Amino acid sequence: MDRDPRYDILFEPLAIGPVTTRNRFYQVPHCNGMGRFYPNGMVAMRGMKAEGGWGIVCTEQCDFQADADIAPNTDINLWDEGDMPRFSNMAEAVHRHGGLAGIEFAHNGQEVSNLYSREVPIGPMDRPANYGRVPVQARAMDLGDIRAYRRSHRRAVLRARDAGFDIVVVYAGHDGTMPFHFLSRRHNQRCDEYGGSLENRLRLFRELIEDTREAVGDRMGLIVRFAVDEMMGSDGLEWHAEGREAIEMLAELPDLWDVNVSDWTNDSKTSRFAPEGYQEDYVAFVKQVTTKPVATVGRYTSPDAMVSAIRRGIVDLIGAARPSIADPFLPRKIEEGRFNDIRECIGCNICVAWSKMAAPSRCTQNPTFGEEWRKGWHPEMLPPAPDREHVLVVGSGPAGLEAARAAGQRGYRVTLAEAGDDLGGRVTRESRLPGLAAWARVRDWRTHQIGKMPNVEVYRSSHLTAGQVLELAPDHVAVATGARWRRDGYGHFSTTTVDGSDAPHVLSPDDIMDGRRPPEGPVLIYDDDHYYMGNVLAELLRAEGHDVTLATPSAMIAEWAGQTLEQHVIEERLLEAGVELLPRHQLLAVDHGEITTRDLLHRRERRIPAAGVIMVTARLPANGLFHELVAESGSLRDAGIRSVRRIGDCHAPGIIATAVYEGHRYAREIGVESNADALPFRRERQVVEALGAAFTSR
Ligand code: ADP
Ligand code: SF4
């Protein structure tokens, strides 16, 4: 299909100083949990973005000296020549597919504790280093330190040029880098020429930009990445005050302004808390104060919204991190007029969570993300099926849908049977809960793809028994029958069941999603799951008029949602809605009309009125069909069924991303003899020095 002329503007080349991007798709720097520890994975992932049509593909933030050591995080580092190969590989991987390779340098100053390097952190002030409340203080930089820091930044920029990079990003954003700390009144109370007036506080940022221009400006494009608003009112930078003045003062220095809001929790909001394009209000002024091109982010996945942002004069380039993770081929799909094939980011921040946990990132929508090198998975291509065998997939949740789709793409004859009237399993059910509508994209993209495949047949309202599976006699069976929430209170913290939890007024999230409701009166939600379900149900029941108390044994409400950058927003929303919050409370017993908790701080028991109790603790796999089938090995053989596998929540209940990944993996591995002794992927290895060298003391 040809490109619709409405979208031509997205494919106009644009000069970024001395280099030219082929189109308006700019993969902004983004963490990926691979970086310095898994560089081959990082390189292959970036190359895939260029293959998918992104005009500019950047590294994540890259630190460049030992006193900016971001351990235990994995972001890439360029400390000396020895680090160069991974960078030249990345530049080459991007160039191979016609993209420009960009590198973002960052010194995190007082944000790091230098856990690995043991160097003393540096920053504008003497103050506690911020990372993880580690008992480490940063030292105020003197003028000599500032000169040394600038020299080191310049050296890193030259190395990036030598590694083949086309673009360098000077970065002051996210409340996390040195020039931003100097700029911030909160962090900078110096009395020298780097403190006081805005001009002084901007001095270091200006110097870094000018140093970079002088060093490589004739060869490399110079992007300045800057957060214009900290979303904390006058306590921080505001776009209509110093945010704007800063841009006015530096207006013509960069080749491109990449502007956003700070900190990371505001920049990468989830779909539960912000719609597509939500940063536009903050950055719309930038084009009025500079003649240089401008880019921003905002989880753009719709080509119309992208065109509109350019036509309305907000931006010249569409910046994207998450949309490029969910669909590395987004630009090519727009170019080829295949809009419905775009795998839209659902805004869940699972990608963020894994990189925050210092592990290779993963994506709910794109199961191949992070697997490009270690498993050799391509997001668009799967190997053809060796023959047209028949695969039966039982259950159409995210695992079953992805298994059926990917097996269908490989050319298998696929039957997908779903017990319910609707496809999508938990995704359909959960997307009806407050704020989670965008999650339905997991289902919608897959059902659309399956709809185009004549070799995939879908049967709704078809609850299959083991006998029916045997009658159908496929070659392979994937059991993707999901999981059910427990009602008995067993969870992360509570390893025994709760007394009285078998009472009829104790409900599970499944009961609520099935339409059941607690009796009139106060409701207690017990959250020993620590992610979204407890607080989403609290929002729902509160909106329906219940008095809701959310109790959790954790010291924090929705503790794990800190990894998805949502924890504090969830807390705020619940408090605004009038939900009573009870952290550090373990549920001990459910009685008629009340419950007993133990306050884990004061070690006191407490009785709280509760007409209804919702247990959000753990799930059990719905694996009955699987066990029935594998118990019948003779019948399986007689029916010609060669393999039966359980996938997704039926295998082990987890997040939606895991179910999609399992479905995808299944489809790739159909018919492959499993070898429990073999490693499931290629590994990245550290180089080990010869014994003599390794242990020579210096
Ligand atoms: P996952 O996250 O692993 O994909 P879900 O719970 O989202 O799991 O989906 C499981 C789906 O399987 C549900 O839609 C459920 O209705 C369906 N299902 C469960 N048992 C059967 C069965 N015996 N036959 C057909 N479909 C089933
Ligand atoms: Fe988007 Fe979620 Fe994938 Fe991240 S993990 S790119 S937020 S779909």
Side-chain angles (χ1 to χ4, degrees):
M1 231 192 288
D2 284 338
R3 183 166 85 216
D4 183 325
R6 267 185 303 164
Y7 305 108
D8 282 354
I9 197 167
L10 296 172
F11 296 90
E12 285 174 11
L14 184 75
I16 314 288
V19 297
T20 299
T21 169
R22 60 182 152 171
N23 60 30
R24 304 304 177 95
F25 296 95
Y26 163 39
Q27 183 246 269
V28 297
H30 70 72
C31 305
N32 53 90
M34 290 182 268
R36 70 181 73 186
F37 296 135
Y38 312 104
N40 293 300
M42 183 278 291
V43 166
M45 176 272 289
R46 300 292 186 199
M48 198 60 82
K49 307 278 191 87
E51 187 181 334
W54 294 86
I56 303 173
V57 179
C58 290
T59 60
E60 65 272 32
Q61 73 144 48
C62 173
D63 56 67
F64 50 89
Q65 56 190 59
D67 58 20
D69 154 33
I70 203 171
N73 289 329
T74 64
D75 307 56
I76 202 136
N77 56 344
L78 181 47
W79 289 2
D80 61 24
E81 296 290 318
D83 292 320
M84 294 281 276
R86 60 190 65 180
F87 289 92
S88 6
N89 279 7
M90 176 183 150
E92 193 188 326
V94 172
H95 291 159
R96 252 184 219 167
H97 298 288
L100 295 177
I103 185 165
E104 177 186 68
F105 286 112
H107 187 302
N108 296 105
Q110 65 200 26
E111 287 298 304
V112 293
S113 299
N114 293 335
L115 300 181
Y116 167 64
S117 72
R118 301 181 73 167
E119 295 297 312
V120 171
I122 51 174
M125 311 270 294
D126 287 307
R127 57 153 290 153
N130 260 342
Y131 179 80
R133 310 283 180 265
V134 179
V136 166
Q137 283 228 168
R139 167 174 74 76
M141 293 162 83
D142 61 24
L143 296 183
D145 293 321
I146 292 178
R147 279 195 297 277
Y149 162 71
R150 286 175 56 191
R151 271 200 309 277
S152 167
H153 185 267
R154 188 174 187 281
R155 247 193 330 267
V157 164
L158 290 171
R159 285 198 182 108
R161 178 198 63 190
D162 296 345
F165 277 81
D166 311 285
I167 286 177
V168 60
V169 183
V170 178
Y171 175 35
H174 291 148
D175 192 21
T177 66
M178 190 76 87
F180 196 85
H181 294 150
F182 269 79
L183 171 56
S184 155
R185 269 181 278 117
R186 273 196 325 284
H187 300 310
N188 179 353
Q189 285 129 35
R190 297 171 71 101
C191 301
D192 62 2
E193 66 261 44
Y194 287 92
S197 66
L198 177 61
E199 191 182 356
N200 280 358
R201 283 181 278 122
L202 259 187
R203 188 176 308 280
L204 182 61
F205 194 18
R206 176 192 290 277
E207 286 171 344
L208 291 180
I209 299 169
E210 286 172 350
D211 291 347
T212 306
R213 167 75 66 209
E214 185 270 319
V216 297
D218 56 332
R219 277 268 312 276
M220 299 173 83
L222 170 51
I223 294 180
V224 171
R225 194 158 191 233
F226 178 54
V228 296
D229 199 298
E230 296 188 87
M231 295 178 130
M232 57 198 308
S234 56
D235 289 344
L237 218 55
E238 292 178 288
W239 69 266
H240 49 77
E242 286 196 341
R244 182 187 179 108
E245 287 164 41
I247 298 229
E248 283 170 349
M249 290 163 84
L250 306 174
E252 300 302 312
L253 293 188
D255 297 319
L256 171 77
W257 277 104
D258 171 0
V259 281
N260 59 3
V261 293
S262 178
D263 55 7
W264 193 14
T265 57
N266 289 321
D267 187 26
S268 289
K269 286 194 172 174
T270 57
S271 57
R272 185 173 167 194
F273 296 104
E276 181 172 356
Y278 66 92
Q279 301 207 15
E280 286 186 5
D281 290 345
Y282 296 88
V283 302
F285 77 89
V286 179
K287 272 193 73 66
Q288 294 152 21
V289 299
T290 175
T291 64
K292 301 293 179 177
V294 173
T296 191
V297 288
R299 242 181 34 248
Y300 290 101
T301 54
S302 136
D304 289 312
M306 296 176 196
V307 168
S308 155
I310 295 178
R311 291 230 183 273
R312 283 180 291 124
I314 311 274
V315 289
D316 302 279
L317 269 97
I318 303 300
R322 290 170 293 175
S324 75
I325 291 172
D327 198 339
F329 279 64
L330 183 148
R332 276 203 18 201
K333 288 174 183 173
I334 297 177
E335 186 158 31
E336 291 163 10
R338 296 164 49 212
F339 309 124
N340 292 330
D341 289 341
I342 296 174
R343 209 171 30 239
E344 289 184 279
C345 166
I346 70 165
C348 61
N349 278 3
I350 286 299
C351 49
V352 171
W354 254 255
S355 88
K356 267 177 73 77
M357 294 190 294
S361 208
R362 56 199 55 191
C363 171
T364 303
Q365 276 284 57
N366 175 9
T368 68
F369 183 74
E371 305 295 345
E372 298 87 351
W373 180 83
R374 66 178 194 172
K375 285 197 160 164
W377 287 2
H378 190 284
E380 298 299 307
M381 288 185 274
L382 287 108
D387 40 46
R388 278 183 54 83
E389 287 173 336
H390 180 199
V391 177
L392 169 67
V393 180
V394 188
S396 74
L401 275 180
E402 176 63 12
R405 182 206 70 78
Q409 184 181 341
R410 292 193 63 188
Y412 284 100
R413 184 160 74 80
V414 179
T415 303
L416 173 62
E418 165 55 49
D421 299 338
D422 296 323
L423 301 182
R426 66 180 287 193
V427 162
T428 297
R429 290 152 66 82
E430 293 178 18
S431 65
R432 294 180 186 133
L433 297 171
L436 304 187
W439 292 18
R441 291 173 171 183
V442 172
R443 172 199 63 205
D444 295 343
W445 183 75
R446 290 173 174 81
T447 50
H448 177 75
Q449 299 301 314
I450 286 172
K452 293 192 292 188
M453 295 174 180
N455 53 326
V456 181
E457 281 184 307
V458 179
Y459 295 93
R460 295 162 200 255
S461 310
S462 304
H463 184 279
L464 292 193
T465 60
Q468 287 166 323
V469 171
L470 292 171
E471 262 171 52
L472 278 166
D475 298 290
H476 305 280
V477 184
V479 184
T481 45
R484 301 291 288 175
W485 285 93
R486 305 173 71 125
R487 289 196 196 91
D488 59 9
Y490 192 98
H492 276 267
F493 183 89
S494 308
T495 49
T496 55
T497 58
V498 170
D499 280 350
S501 56
D502 52 354
H505 65 289
V506 177
L507 303 179
S508 74
D510 286 315
D511 295 325
I512 301 292
M513 288 188 279
D514 287 340
R516 285 185 64 192
R517 288 295 179 266
E520 285 285 303
V523 178
L524 185 280
I525 298 180
Y526 184 56
D527 184 5
D528 196 11
D529 172 62
H530 311 284
Y531 186 16
Y532 60 91
M533 186 55 81
N535 50 80
V536 162
L537 293 185
E539 256 192 74
L540 175 77
L541 295 176
R542 183 74 195 110
E544 291 180 359
H546 291 270
D547 280 338
V548 179
T549 300
L550 180 70
T552 176
S554 169
M556 284 168 113
I557 301 299
E559 182 178 358
W560 195 77
Q563 308 293 358
T564 58
L565 310 178
E566 294 173 294
Q567 192 278 331
H568 71 287
V569 214
I570 290 171
E571 224 166 57
E572 266 167 42
R573 182 169 280 189
L574 295 181
L575 288 170
E576 265 165 34
V579 174
E580 178 87 11
L581 303 181
L582 278 187
R584 286 200 168 191
H585 276 68
Q586 182 189 4
L587 181 58
L588 296 181
V590 177
D591 286 323
H592 204 71
E594 63 178 17
I595 52 108
T596 308
T597 64
R598 178 182 292 129
D599 174 338
L600 297 171
L601 183 62
H602 302 101
R603 320 306 290 180
R604 280 197 296 259
E605 290 194 7
R606 210 171 138 183
R607 288 174 171 275
I608 299 172
V613 175
I614 322 287
M615 293 287 196
V616 186
T617 59
R619 291 180 295 155
L620 284 171
N623 52 17
L625 176 64
F626 172 78
H627 285 300
E628 275 181 59
L629 285 171
V630 292
E632 302 227 19
S633 53
S635 313
L636 289 176
R637 231 185 349 266
D638 293 347
I641 297 177
R642 291 173 37 209
S643 71
V644 177
R645 260 182 61 184
R646 55 185 157 173
I647 56 174
D649 291 329
C650 164
H651 191 188
I655 55 173
I656 296 167
T658 305
V660 172
Y661 168 79
E662 288 234 320
H664 191 85
R665 178 178 182 176
Y666 171 76
R668 286 190 183 256
E669 293 178 356
I670 296 170
V672 177
E673 286 299 321
S674 68
N675 176 358
D677 296 330
L679 288 172
F681 47 76
R682 261 207 294 180
R683 289 171 64 202
E684 311 237 12
R685 291 185 193 279
Q686 309 278 331
V687 178
V688 177
E689 290 186 29
L691 259 188
F695 292 101
T696 304
S697 48
R698 281 192 279 171

